[in-house]
Each structure stands twice: as structure tokens, then as C-alpha cells.
Coordinates of all heavy atoms in Angstrom, one line a residue:
M1 N 0.8 -1.2 0.0 CA 0.0 0.0 0.0 C 0.9 1.2 0.0 O 1.9 1.3 0.7 CB -0.9 0.0 1.2 CG -1.8 -1.2 1.4 SD -3.1 -1.4 0.2 CE -4.4 -0.5 1.1
I2 N 0.5 2.2 -0.7 CA 1.3 3.5 -0.9 C 0.5 4.7 -0.6 O -0.7 4.9 -1.1 CB 1.8 3.6 -2.4 CG1 2.7 2.3 -2.7 CG2 2.6 4.9 -2.6 CD1 3.1 2.3 -4.2
S3 N 1.1 5.6 0.2 CA 0.5 6.9 0.4 C 1.2 7.9 -0.5 O 2.4 7.9 -0.6 CB 0.7 7.3 1.9 OG 0.0 6.5 2.8
G4 N 0.5 8.8 -1.0 CA 1.1 9.9 -1.8 C 0.7 11.2 -1.2 O -0.4 11.3 -0.5
F5 N 1.5 12.2 -1.4 CA 1.2 13.5 -0.8 C 1.8 14.7 -1.6 O 2.7 14.5 -2.4 CB 1.5 13.7 0.7 CG 3.0 13.8 0.9 CD1 3.6 15.1 0.9 CD2 3.8 12.8 1.2 CE1 4.9 15.3 1.1 CE2 5.2 12.9 1.5 CZ 5.7 14.2 1.4
M6 N 1.2 15.8 -1.5 CA 1.6 17.0 -2.2 C 1.3 18.2 -1.3 O 0.3 18.2 -0.6 CB 0.8 17.2 -3.5 CG 1.1 18.4 -4.3 SD 0.0 18.6 -5.8 CE 0.8 17.3 -6.8
I7 N 2.1 19.3 -1.3 CA 1.8 20.5 -0.7 C 1.6 21.6 -1.8 O 2.2 21.6 -2.8 CB 2.9 21.0 0.3 CG1 4.2 21.3 -0.4 CG2 3.1 20.0 1.4 CD1 5.2 22.0 0.5
V8 N 0.5 22.4 -1.6 CA 0.2 23.4 -2.6 C -0.2 24.7 -1.9 O -0.8 24.7 -0.8 CB -0.9 23.0 -3.5 CG1 -0.5 21.8 -4.4 CG2 -2.2 22.7 -2.8
K9 N 0.2 25.8 -2.5 CA -0.3 27.1 -2.1 C -0.1 28.1 -3.3 O 1.0 28.3 -3.8 CB 0.5 27.7 -1.0 CG 0.0 29.0 -0.5 CD 0.7 29.5 0.7 CE 0.2 30.9 1.2 NZ 0.8 31.4 2.4
D10 N -1.3 28.6 -3.8 CA -1.3 29.5 -4.9 C -0.6 28.9 -6.2 O 0.1 29.7 -6.9 CB -0.7 30.8 -4.6 CG -1.6 31.6 -3.5 OD1 -2.8 31.4 -3.6 OD2 -1.1 32.3 -2.7
V11 N -0.7 27.6 -6.4 CA -0.1 27.0 -7.6 C -0.8 27.2 -8.9 O -0.2 27.1 -9.9 CB 0.2 25.5 -7.3 CG1 1.3 25.3 -6.2 CG2 -1.0 24.7 -7.0
L12 N -2.1 27.6 -8.8 CA -2.9 27.9 -10.0 C -2.3 29.1 -10.6 O -2.0 29.2 -11.8 CB -4.3 28.0 -9.6 CG -5.3 28.3 -10.8 CD1 -5.3 27.1 -11.8 CD2 -6.7 28.6 -10.3
K13 N -2.1 30.1 -9.8 CA -1.5 31.4 -10.3 C -0.1 31.2 -10.8 O 0.3 31.9 -11.8 CB -1.5 32.4 -9.1 CG -0.9 33.8 -9.5 CD -1.0 34.8 -8.4 CE -0.5 34.3 -7.1 NZ -0.6 35.3 -5.9
A14 N 0.6 30.3 -10.3 CA 2.0 30.0 -10.7 C 2.0 29.2 -12.0 O 3.1 29.2 -12.7 CB 2.8 29.3 -9.6
G15 N 0.9 28.7 -12.4 CA 0.9 27.9 -13.7 C 1.4 26.5 -13.6 O 1.7 25.9 -14.6
Y16 N 1.5 26.0 -12.4 CA 2.0 24.6 -12.2 C 0.9 23.6 -12.6 O -0.3 23.8 -12.4 CB 2.3 24.3 -10.7 CG 3.5 25.0 -10.2 CD1 3.7 25.2 -8.9 CD2 4.5 25.5 -11.1 CE1 4.8 25.9 -8.4 CE2 5.7 26.1 -10.6 CZ 5.8 26.3 -9.3 OH 6.9 27.0 -8.8
P17 N 1.3 22.5 -13.2 CA 0.3 21.5 -13.7 C -0.1 20.5 -12.5 O 0.0 19.3 -12.6 CB 1.1 20.7 -14.7 CG 2.5 20.8 -14.3 CD 2.7 22.1 -13.6
F18 N -0.6 21.1 -11.4 CA -0.8 20.3 -10.2 C -2.0 19.3 -10.4 O -2.0 18.3 -9.8 CB -1.1 21.2 -9.0 CG -2.3 22.0 -9.0 CD1 -3.4 21.7 -8.3 CD2 -2.4 23.2 -9.8 CE1 -4.6 22.4 -8.3 CE2 -3.6 23.9 -9.8 CZ -4.7 23.6 -9.1
V19 N -3.0 19.7 -11.2 CA -4.1 18.7 -11.5 C -3.5 17.5 -12.2 O -3.8 16.4 -11.8 CB -5.2 19.4 -12.3 CG1 -6.3 18.4 -12.7 CG2 -5.8 20.6 -11.5
E20 N -2.7 17.7 -13.2 CA -2.1 16.6 -13.9 C -1.1 15.8 -13.0 O -1.1 14.6 -13.1 CB -1.3 17.1 -15.1 CG -2.2 17.8 -16.2 CD -2.6 19.2 -16.0 OE1 -2.3 19.8 -14.9 OE2 -3.2 19.8 -16.9
A21 N -0.4 16.5 -12.1 CA 0.5 15.8 -11.2 C -0.3 14.9 -10.3 O 0.1 13.7 -10.0 CB 1.3 16.8 -10.4
I22 N -1.4 15.4 -9.7 CA -2.3 14.5 -8.9 C -2.8 13.4 -9.7 O -2.7 12.2 -9.2 CB -3.4 15.4 -8.3 CG1 -2.8 16.4 -7.3 CG2 -4.4 14.5 -7.5 CD1 -3.8 17.5 -7.0
A23 N -3.3 13.6 -10.8 CA -3.9 12.6 -11.7 C -2.9 11.5 -12.0 O -3.2 10.3 -12.1 CB -4.5 13.2 -13.0
S24 N -1.6 11.9 -12.2 CA -0.6 11.0 -12.6 C -0.2 10.1 -11.4 O 0.3 8.9 -11.6 CB 0.6 11.7 -13.2 OG 1.4 12.4 -12.2
A25 N -0.4 10.5 -10.2 CA 0.0 9.7 -9.0 C -1.1 8.8 -8.5 O -0.9 7.8 -7.9 CB 0.4 10.7 -7.9
L26 N -2.4 9.2 -8.9 CA -3.5 8.4 -8.3 C -3.5 6.9 -8.7 O -3.8 6.1 -7.8 CB -4.8 9.0 -8.7 CG -5.1 10.3 -8.0 CD1 -6.4 10.9 -8.5 CD2 -5.2 10.1 -6.5
P27 N -3.1 6.5 -9.9 CA -3.1 5.1 -10.2 C -2.1 4.3 -9.3 O -2.2 3.1 -9.1 CB -2.7 5.0 -11.6 CG -3.0 6.3 -12.2 CD -2.8 7.3 -11.1
I28 N -1.1 4.9 -8.8 CA 0.0 4.3 -8.0 C -0.4 4.3 -6.5 O 0.0 3.3 -5.8 CB 1.3 5.1 -8.2 CG1 1.7 5.1 -9.6 CG2 2.4 4.5 -7.3 CD1 2.8 6.1 -9.9
C29 N -1.1 5.3 -6.1 CA -1.3 5.5 -4.6 C -2.7 4.9 -4.2 O -3.7 4.9 -4.9 CB -1.3 7.0 -4.3 SG 0.3 7.7 -4.7
D30 N -2.7 4.4 -2.9 CA -3.9 4.0 -2.3 C -4.6 5.1 -1.5 O -5.8 5.0 -1.2 CB -3.6 2.8 -1.4 CG -3.0 1.6 -2.1 OD1 -3.8 1.0 -2.9 OD2 -1.8 1.4 -2.0
E31 N -3.8 6.1 -1.2 CA -4.4 7.4 -0.7 C -3.5 8.5 -1.2 O -2.3 8.3 -1.5 CB -4.4 7.4 0.9 CG -3.0 7.5 1.5 CD -3.1 7.7 3.0 OE1 -4.2 8.0 3.6 OE2 -2.0 7.6 3.6
F32 N -4.1 9.7 -1.3 CA -3.3 10.9 -1.7 C -3.7 12.0 -0.9 O -4.9 12.5 -1.0 CB -3.5 11.2 -3.2 CG -2.5 12.1 -3.8 CD1 -1.2 11.6 -4.2 CD2 -2.7 13.4 -3.8 CE1 -0.2 12.4 -4.7 CE2 -1.7 14.3 -4.3 CZ -0.5 13.8 -4.8
L33 N -2.8 12.6 -0.1 CA -3.1 13.7 0.8 C -2.5 15.0 0.2 O -1.4 15.0 -0.3 CB -2.4 13.4 2.1 CG -2.7 12.0 2.7 CD1 -2.0 12.0 4.1 CD2 -4.1 11.7 2.9
I34 N -3.3 16.0 0.3 CA -2.9 17.3 -0.1 C -2.9 18.3 1.0 O -4.0 18.5 1.7 CB -3.8 17.8 -1.3 CG1 -3.8 16.9 -2.5 CG2 -3.4 19.2 -1.7 CD1 -4.9 17.2 -3.5
S35 N -1.8 19.0 1.3 CA -1.7 20.0 2.2 C -1.9 21.4 1.5 O -1.0 21.7 0.7 CB -0.4 20.0 3.0 OG -0.3 21.1 3.9
E36 N -2.9 22.1 1.8 CA -3.3 23.3 1.1 C -3.1 24.5 2.0 O -3.6 24.5 3.1 CB -4.7 23.2 0.6 CG -5.0 24.2 -0.6 CD -5.2 25.6 -0.1 OE1 -5.7 25.8 1.0 OE2 -4.8 26.5 -0.9
G37 N -2.3 25.4 1.6 CA -1.8 26.5 2.4 C -2.7 27.8 2.4 O -2.1 28.9 2.4
Y38 N -4.0 27.7 2.3 CA -4.9 28.8 2.3 C -4.6 29.7 1.1 O -4.3 30.9 1.2 CB -4.9 29.6 3.6 CG -5.6 28.9 4.7 CD1 -4.9 28.0 5.5 CD2 -6.9 29.1 5.0 CE1 -5.5 27.3 6.5 CE2 -7.6 28.4 6.0 CZ -6.9 27.5 6.7 OH -7.5 26.8 7.7
S39 N -4.7 29.1 -0.1 CA -4.4 29.8 -1.3 C -5.5 30.9 -1.6 O -6.6 30.8 -1.1 CB -4.5 28.8 -2.5 OG -3.5 27.9 -2.4
T40 N -5.1 31.9 -2.3 CA -6.1 32.9 -2.7 C -6.4 33.0 -4.2 O -7.0 34.0 -4.6 CB -5.5 34.3 -2.2 OG1 -4.2 34.5 -2.9 CG2 -5.3 34.4 -0.7
D41 N -5.9 32.0 -4.9 CA -6.0 32.0 -6.4 C -7.0 31.0 -7.0 O -7.0 30.8 -8.2 CB -4.6 31.9 -7.0 CG -4.0 30.5 -6.8 OD1 -4.6 29.7 -5.9 OD2 -3.0 30.2 -7.4
G42 N -7.7 30.3 -6.1 CA -8.6 29.2 -6.6 C -8.0 27.8 -6.5 O -8.7 26.8 -6.8
T43 N -6.8 27.7 -6.0 CA -6.2 26.4 -5.9 C -7.0 25.5 -4.9 O -7.3 24.3 -5.2 CB -4.7 26.5 -5.3 OG1 -4.0 27.2 -6.3 CG2 -4.1 25.1 -5.1
Y44 N -7.4 26.0 -3.8 CA -8.2 25.3 -2.8 C -9.5 24.7 -3.4 O -9.8 23.5 -3.2 CB -8.5 26.1 -1.6 CG -9.4 25.4 -0.6 CD1 -8.9 24.3 0.1 CD2 -10.7 25.8 -0.3 CE1 -9.7 23.6 1.0 CE2 -11.5 25.1 0.6 CZ -11.0 24.0 1.3 OH -11.7 23.4 2.2
E45 N -10.2 25.5 -4.1 CA -11.5 25.1 -4.7 C -11.2 23.9 -5.7 O -12.0 23.0 -5.8 CB -12.2 26.2 -5.4 CG -12.7 27.3 -4.5 CD -11.6 28.2 -3.9 OE1 -10.5 28.2 -4.4 OE2 -12.0 29.0 -3.0
I46 N -10.1 24.0 -6.5 CA -9.8 22.9 -7.4 C -9.5 21.6 -6.7 O -10.0 20.5 -7.1 CB -8.7 23.3 -8.4 CG1 -9.2 24.4 -9.3 CG2 -8.2 22.1 -9.2 CD1 -8.2 25.1 -10.2
V47 N -8.6 21.7 -5.7 CA -8.3 20.4 -5.0 C -9.5 19.8 -4.2 O -9.6 18.6 -4.1 CB -7.0 20.6 -4.1 CG1 -5.8 20.8 -4.9 CG2 -7.2 21.6 -3.0
Q48 N -10.4 20.7 -3.8 CA -11.6 20.2 -3.1 C -12.5 19.5 -4.2 O -13.1 18.4 -3.8 CB -12.4 21.4 -2.6 CG -11.9 21.9 -1.2 CD -12.1 20.9 -0.2 OE1 -11.2 20.1 0.1 NE2 -13.3 20.8 0.4
K49 N -12.6 20.0 -5.4 CA -13.3 19.3 -6.4 C -12.7 17.9 -6.7 O -13.4 16.9 -6.9 CB -13.4 20.1 -7.7 CG -14.3 21.3 -7.6 CD -14.4 22.1 -8.9 CE -15.2 23.3 -8.7 NZ -15.2 24.2 -9.9
I50 N -11.4 17.9 -6.8 CA -10.7 16.6 -7.0 C -11.0 15.6 -5.9 O -11.3 14.4 -6.2 CB -9.1 16.8 -7.2 CG1 -8.8 17.7 -8.4 CG2 -8.4 15.5 -7.2 CD1 -7.4 18.2 -8.5
A51 N -11.0 16.1 -4.7 CA -11.3 15.2 -3.6 C -12.7 14.7 -3.6 O -13.0 13.5 -3.2 CB -11.0 15.9 -2.2
K52 N -13.6 15.5 -4.1 CA -15.0 15.0 -4.2 C -15.2 14.0 -5.3 O -16.0 13.1 -5.2 CB -15.9 16.2 -4.5 CG -16.2 17.1 -3.3 CD -17.1 18.2 -3.6 CE -17.2 19.1 -2.4 NZ -18.0 20.3 -2.6
L53 N -14.3 14.1 -6.3 CA -14.4 13.1 -7.4 C -13.6 11.8 -7.2 O -13.9 10.8 -7.8 CB -13.9 13.8 -8.7 CG -14.7 14.9 -9.3 CD1 -13.9 15.6 -10.4 CD2 -16.0 14.4 -9.7
N54 N -12.7 11.8 -6.3 CA -11.9 10.6 -6.0 C -11.7 10.4 -4.5 O -11.1 11.3 -3.8 CB -10.5 10.8 -6.7 CG -9.7 9.5 -6.7 OD1 -9.6 8.8 -5.7 ND2 -9.2 9.1 -7.9
K55 N -12.2 9.3 -4.0 CA -12.2 9.1 -2.6 C -10.8 8.8 -2.0 O -10.6 8.8 -0.8 CB -13.1 7.9 -2.3 CG -12.7 6.6 -2.9 CD -13.7 5.5 -2.6 CE -13.2 4.2 -3.2 NZ -14.1 3.1 -2.9
K56 N -9.8 8.6 -2.9 CA -8.4 8.4 -2.4 C -7.8 9.8 -1.9 O -6.9 9.8 -1.2 CB -7.5 8.0 -3.6 CG -7.7 6.6 -4.0 CD -6.7 6.3 -5.1 CE -6.9 4.9 -5.7 NZ -5.8 4.7 -6.7
V57 N -8.4 10.9 -2.4 CA -7.8 12.2 -2.2 C -8.4 12.8 -0.9 O -9.7 12.9 -0.8 CB -8.0 13.1 -3.4 CG1 -7.4 14.5 -3.1 CG2 -7.4 12.5 -4.6
R58 N -7.6 13.3 0.0 CA -8.0 14.1 1.1 C -7.2 15.4 1.2 O -6.0 15.4 1.0 CB -7.8 13.3 2.4 CG -8.7 12.1 2.5 CD -8.6 11.4 3.8 NE -7.3 10.8 4.0 CZ -6.7 10.6 5.2 NH1 -7.3 11.0 6.3 NH2 -5.5 10.1 5.2
V59 N -7.9 16.4 1.5 CA -7.3 17.8 1.5 C -7.3 18.3 3.0 O -8.3 18.2 3.7 CB -8.1 18.8 0.7 CG1 -7.5 20.1 0.7 CG2 -8.2 18.3 -0.8
F60 N -6.1 18.8 3.4 CA -6.0 19.4 4.7 C -5.5 20.8 4.5 O -4.6 21.1 3.7 CB -4.9 18.6 5.5 CG -5.2 17.2 5.7 CD1 -4.8 16.2 4.8 CD2 -5.9 16.8 6.8 CE1 -5.1 14.9 5.0 CE2 -6.2 15.4 7.1 CZ -5.8 14.5 6.1
R61 N -6.1 21.7 5.2 CA -5.7 23.1 5.1 C -4.7 23.4 6.3 O -5.0 23.0 7.4 CB -6.8 24.1 5.2 CG -7.7 23.9 3.9 CD -8.6 25.1 3.7 NE -8.0 26.0 2.8 CZ -8.6 27.1 2.5 NH1 -9.7 27.5 3.0 NH2 -8.0 28.0 1.6
Q62 N -3.6 24.1 6.0 CA -2.6 24.4 7.0 C -2.1 25.8 6.7 O -1.6 26.1 5.6 CB -1.5 23.3 6.9 CG -0.4 23.6 7.9 CD 0.7 22.5 7.8 OE1 0.7 21.6 7.0 NE2 1.7 22.6 8.7
K63 N -2.1 26.6 7.8 CA -1.5 27.9 7.7 C 0.0 27.8 7.6 O 0.6 26.9 8.3 CB -1.8 28.7 9.0 CG -3.2 29.2 9.0 CD -3.4 30.5 8.3 CE -4.8 31.1 8.6 NZ -5.1 32.1 7.7
W64 N 0.6 28.5 6.7 CA 2.1 28.5 6.5 C 2.6 29.6 7.3 O 2.2 30.8 7.1 CB 2.4 28.6 5.0 CG 2.1 27.5 4.2 CD1 1.1 26.5 4.4 CD2 2.7 27.1 3.0 NE1 1.1 25.6 3.4 CE2 2.1 25.9 2.5 CE3 3.7 27.6 2.2 CZ2 2.4 25.3 1.3 CZ3 4.1 27.0 1.0 CH2 3.4 25.9 0.6
N65 N 3.6 29.4 8.1 CA 4.3 30.4 8.9 C 5.2 31.2 8.0 O 6.4 30.8 7.9 CB 5.0 29.8 10.1 CG 5.6 30.8 11.0 OD1 5.6 32.0 10.7 ND2 6.2 30.4 12.1
T66 N 4.8 32.2 7.4 CA 5.6 32.9 6.4 C 6.7 33.8 7.1 O 7.5 34.3 6.4 CB 4.7 33.9 5.6 OG1 3.9 34.7 6.4 CG2 3.7 33.0 4.7
K67 N 6.7 33.9 8.4 CA 7.7 34.6 9.1 C 9.0 33.8 9.1 O 10.1 34.3 9.2 CB 7.3 35.0 10.5 CG 6.2 36.0 10.5 CD 5.8 36.3 11.9 CE 4.6 37.3 11.8 NZ 4.0 37.5 13.1
K68 N 8.9 32.4 9.0 CA 10.0 31.5 9.0 C 10.2 31.0 7.6 O 9.8 29.9 7.3 CB 9.8 30.4 10.0 CG 9.8 30.8 11.5 CD 9.5 29.6 12.3 CE 10.5 28.5 12.1 NZ 10.2 27.3 13.0
T69 N 10.8 31.8 6.8 CA 10.9 31.4 5.4 C 11.9 30.3 5.1 O 11.8 29.6 4.1 CB 11.3 32.6 4.5 OG1 12.5 33.2 5.0 CG2 10.2 33.6 4.5
M70 N 12.9 30.1 6.0 CA 13.9 29.1 5.8 C 13.4 27.7 5.8 O 13.8 26.8 5.0 CB 15.0 29.2 6.8 CG 15.8 30.5 6.6 SD 16.8 30.5 5.1 CE 18.2 29.5 5.7
N71 N 12.5 27.3 6.7 CA 12.1 26.0 6.9 C 10.7 25.7 6.6 O 10.2 24.6 6.9 CB 12.4 25.5 8.3 CG 13.9 25.5 8.6 OD1 14.7 25.2 7.8 ND2 14.3 25.8 9.8
I72 N 9.9 26.7 6.1 CA 8.5 26.5 6.0 C 8.1 25.3 5.1 O 7.2 24.5 5.4 CB 7.8 27.8 5.5 CG1 6.3 27.7 5.5 CG2 8.3 28.2 4.1 CD1 5.7 27.4 6.8
L73 N 8.8 25.1 3.9 CA 8.4 24.0 3.1 C 8.7 22.7 3.8 O 7.9 21.7 3.6 CB 9.2 24.1 1.7 CG 8.8 25.3 0.9 CD1 9.6 25.3 -0.4 CD2 7.3 25.3 0.6
G74 N 9.8 22.6 4.5 CA 10.1 21.4 5.2 C 9.1 21.1 6.3 O 8.7 19.9 6.5
E75 N 8.7 22.1 7.0 CA 7.7 22.0 8.1 C 6.4 21.5 7.5 O 5.7 20.6 8.1 CB 7.6 23.2 8.9 CG 8.8 23.6 9.7 CD 8.7 25.0 10.3 OE1 7.6 25.6 10.2 OE2 9.7 25.4 10.9
V76 N 5.9 22.1 6.5 CA 4.6 21.8 5.9 C 4.7 20.3 5.3 O 3.8 19.5 5.5 CB 4.2 22.8 4.8 CG1 3.0 22.3 4.0 CG2 4.0 24.2 5.4
T77 N 5.8 20.0 4.7 CA 6.0 18.7 4.1 C 6.0 17.6 5.2 O 5.3 16.6 5.1 CB 7.3 18.6 3.3 OG1 7.2 19.5 2.2 CG2 7.6 17.2 2.8
N78 N 6.7 17.9 6.3 CA 6.7 16.9 7.4 C 5.4 16.7 8.1 O 5.0 15.6 8.4 CB 7.8 17.3 8.5 CG 9.2 17.2 8.0 OD1 9.4 16.4 7.0 ND2 10.1 17.9 8.6
A79 N 4.6 17.8 8.2 CA 3.3 17.7 8.8 C 2.3 16.8 8.0 O 1.6 16.0 8.5 CB 2.7 19.1 9.0
I80 N 2.3 17.0 6.7 CA 1.4 16.2 5.8 C 1.9 14.7 5.7 O 1.2 13.8 5.7 CB 1.2 16.8 4.4 CG1 0.0 16.1 3.7 CG2 2.4 16.8 3.6 CD1 -1.3 16.4 4.3
R81 N 3.3 14.6 5.7 CA 3.8 13.3 5.7 C 3.5 12.4 6.9 O 3.2 11.2 6.8 CB 5.4 13.3 5.5 CG 6.0 12.0 5.3 CD 7.6 12.2 5.2 NE 8.2 11.0 4.8 CZ 8.4 9.9 5.6 NH1 8.0 10.0 6.8 NH2 9.0 8.9 5.1
Q82 N 3.4 13.1 8.0 CA 3.0 12.4 9.2 C 1.5 11.8 9.2 O 1.2 10.9 9.9 CB 3.2 13.3 10.5 CG 4.6 13.5 10.8 CD 4.8 14.4 11.9 OE1 3.9 15.1 12.4 NE2 6.1 14.5 12.4
K83 N 0.7 12.4 8.3 CA -0.7 12.0 8.2 C -0.8 10.7 7.3 O -1.8 10.1 7.2 CB -1.5 13.1 7.7 CG -1.7 14.3 8.6 CD -2.6 15.3 8.1 CE -2.6 16.6 8.9 NZ -3.1 16.4 10.3
C84 N 0.3 10.4 6.6 CA 0.2 9.2 5.7 C 0.1 8.0 6.5 O 0.8 7.8 7.5 CB 1.5 9.2 4.8 SG 1.6 10.5 3.6
K85 N -0.8 7.1 6.1 CA -1.0 5.9 6.9 C -0.2 4.6 6.4 O -0.2 3.6 7.1 CB -2.5 5.6 7.1 CG -3.2 5.3 5.8 CD -4.7 5.0 6.1 CE -5.5 4.8 4.9 NZ -6.9 4.7 5.2
Y86 N 0.4 4.7 5.2 CA 1.1 3.5 4.7 C 2.6 3.7 4.8 O 3.1 4.8 4.9 CB 0.6 3.2 3.3 CG -0.8 3.0 3.1 CD1 -1.6 3.8 2.4 CD2 -1.4 1.9 3.8 CE1 -3.0 3.6 2.3 CE2 -2.8 1.7 3.7 CZ -3.6 2.5 2.9 OH -4.9 2.3 2.9
N87 N 3.3 2.5 4.8 CA 4.7 2.5 5.0 C 5.5 3.1 3.8 O 6.6 3.6 3.9 CB 5.2 1.1 5.3 CG 4.8 0.6 6.6 OD1 4.7 1.4 7.5 ND2 4.7 -0.7 6.8
Y88 N 4.9 2.9 2.6 CA 5.6 3.4 1.4 C 4.9 4.7 1.0 O 3.7 4.9 1.0 CB 5.4 2.4 0.2 CG 6.2 1.1 0.5 CD1 5.5 0.0 0.9 CD2 7.5 1.1 0.3 CE1 6.2 -1.2 1.2 CE2 8.2 -0.1 0.6 CZ 7.5 -1.2 1.0 OH 8.2 -2.4 1.3
I89 N 5.8 5.7 0.8 CA 5.3 7.1 0.6 C 5.8 7.7 -0.7 O 7.0 7.6 -1.0 CB 5.6 8.0 1.8 CG1 4.9 7.4 3.0 CG2 5.3 9.4 1.5 CD1 5.3 8.1 4.3
L90 N 5.0 8.3 -1.5 CA 5.4 9.0 -2.7 C 5.1 10.5 -2.5 O 4.0 10.9 -2.3 CB 4.6 8.5 -3.9 CG 4.8 9.2 -5.2 CD1 6.2 9.0 -5.7 CD2 3.8 8.7 -6.3
S91 N 6.1 11.3 -2.6 CA 6.0 12.7 -2.5 C 6.0 13.3 -3.9 O 6.9 13.0 -4.7 CB 7.2 13.3 -1.7 OG 7.2 14.7 -1.8
V92 N 5.0 14.0 -4.3 CA 4.9 14.6 -5.6 C 4.8 16.1 -5.5 O 4.0 16.6 -4.7 CB 3.6 14.1 -6.3 CG1 3.5 14.7 -7.7 CG2 3.6 12.6 -6.4
Q93 N 5.6 16.8 -6.2 CA 5.5 18.3 -6.2 C 4.5 18.7 -7.2 O 4.2 18.0 -8.2 CB 6.9 18.9 -6.5 CG 7.8 18.6 -5.3 CD 9.2 19.3 -5.5 OE1 9.3 20.2 -6.4 NE2 10.1 18.9 -4.7
A94 N 4.0 20.0 -7.1 CA 2.9 20.5 -7.9 C 3.3 20.7 -9.4 O 2.5 20.8 -10.3 CB 2.4 21.8 -7.4
N95 N 4.7 20.6 -9.6 CA 5.1 20.8 -11.0 C 5.7 19.5 -11.6 O 6.4 19.5 -12.6 CB 6.1 21.9 -11.1 CG 7.4 21.6 -10.3 OD1 7.4 20.7 -9.5 ND2 8.4 22.4 -10.6
E96 N 5.4 18.3 -10.9 CA 5.9 17.0 -11.3 C 4.8 16.2 -11.8 O 3.9 15.9 -11.1 CB 6.6 16.3 -10.2 CG 7.8 16.9 -9.6 CD 8.4 16.2 -8.5 OE1 7.6 15.5 -7.7 OE2 9.6 16.2 -8.3
V97 N 4.9 15.7 -13.0 CA 3.9 14.8 -13.6 C 4.6 13.5 -13.9 O 5.6 13.5 -14.6 CB 3.2 15.4 -14.9 CG1 2.2 14.4 -15.5 CG2 2.6 16.7 -14.6
L98 N 4.1 12.4 -13.2 CA 4.7 11.1 -13.4 C 4.4 10.6 -14.8 O 3.2 10.6 -15.2 CB 4.3 10.2 -12.3 CG 4.5 10.7 -10.9 CD1 3.8 9.7 -9.9 CD2 5.9 10.8 -10.6
H99 N 5.4 10.0 -15.4 CA 5.2 9.4 -16.7 C 4.7 7.9 -16.5 O 5.2 7.3 -15.6 CB 6.5 9.4 -17.5 CG 6.3 9.0 -18.9 ND1 6.3 7.7 -19.3 CD2 6.1 9.7 -20.0 CE1 6.1 7.6 -20.6 NE2 6.0 8.8 -21.1
E100 N 3.9 7.5 -17.4 CA 3.3 6.1 -17.2 C 4.4 5.1 -17.2 O 4.3 4.0 -16.7 CB 2.3 5.8 -18.3 CG 2.9 6.0 -19.7 CD 1.8 6.0 -20.8 OE1 0.7 6.4 -20.6 OE2 2.2 5.5 -21.9

């Protein structure tokens, strides 16, 4: 069994192919967790729609401590990784699309 996860914040505005990245990981993963950082560009609404369409996907909202810029990505990544329930874990970035 494999857990997959991704962190996102305002990735729609950045033009990242995050929908395609999620879709490419779903056939491999038994669950896929998304940590969403209170986006203001519509990213949250899109990942919510994906979660409604696929029961493997769960979305968690997490405030990003923007005052600590050095470790924020590591902290957010570690927090969502701890929610993974399987021993094998696939980390996918919002700009990574897995090839078949």
C-alpha cells in the first residue's frame, strides 16, 4: 500500500500542472493527501473538487508560517507526511507529472 502527498499554495496562479500531477499519481497510490496553504487564487477550490471526485484524495488546510521562510516548506511537508498511513510514501510536487 502506498501513500502519496503534495503541498500546494497558490499554484494555480504560478501555472503549475498540479491537477495533472495529482492525476498521474493516483493510479499508484492507495491514498493521496494534499496540504493546502490557504491559497487565494482558486487552488483550494480545485483540490476540493478533485477530492469530491476521487475518494483516495483528502485535503488538509494548513497555515504556513511565512515569518520563518527558511524551513517553511520542510515543516509543511513533514506535517502532511505524518498523516500518511502507509509505509511506502510518494512525494509529488505540484510541477511534477509522473510518466506512465
Side-chain angles (χ1 to χ4, degrees):
M1 305 287 273
I2 300 173
S3 295
F5 74 87
M6 174 185 289
I7 64 170
V8 295
K9 182 174 181 180
D10 293 327
V11 293
L12 183 62
K13 178 173 55 179
Y16 291 157
F18 69 103
V19 174
E20 293 84 352
I22 295 166
S24 72
L26 287 177
I28 301 166
C29 298
D30 298 290
E31 71 169 350
F32 196 85
L33 312 181
I34 301 170
S35 176
E36 200 284 323
Y38 287 88
S39 297
T40 58
D41 67 348
T43 298
Y44 176 67
E45 291 77 12
I46 292 173
V47 294
Q48 281 293 95
K49 286 180 185 178
I50 293 169
K52 285 181 183 175
L53 293 172
N54 192 310
K55 64 183 178 178
K56 291 182 184 182
V57 178
R58 291 186 295 150
V59 179
F60 300 90
R61 293 195 97 180
Q62 180 180 1
K63 287 273 187 196
W64 290 26
N65 184 355
T66 54
K67 293 178 184 174
K68 288 177 60 179
T69 57
M70 291 291 280
N71 295 325
I72 187 60
L73 295 179
E75 290 173 7
V76 173
T77 298
N78 289 339
I80 194 68
R81 189 181 186 281
Q82 289 177 349
K83 294 182 184 301
C84 294
K85 63 182 176 183
Y86 300 120
N87 290 331
Y88 296 101
I89 297 174
L90 175 65
S91 172
V92 180
Q93 294 186 13
N95 63 346
E96 296 179 327
V97 178
L98 304 175
H99 190 273
E100 56 191 31

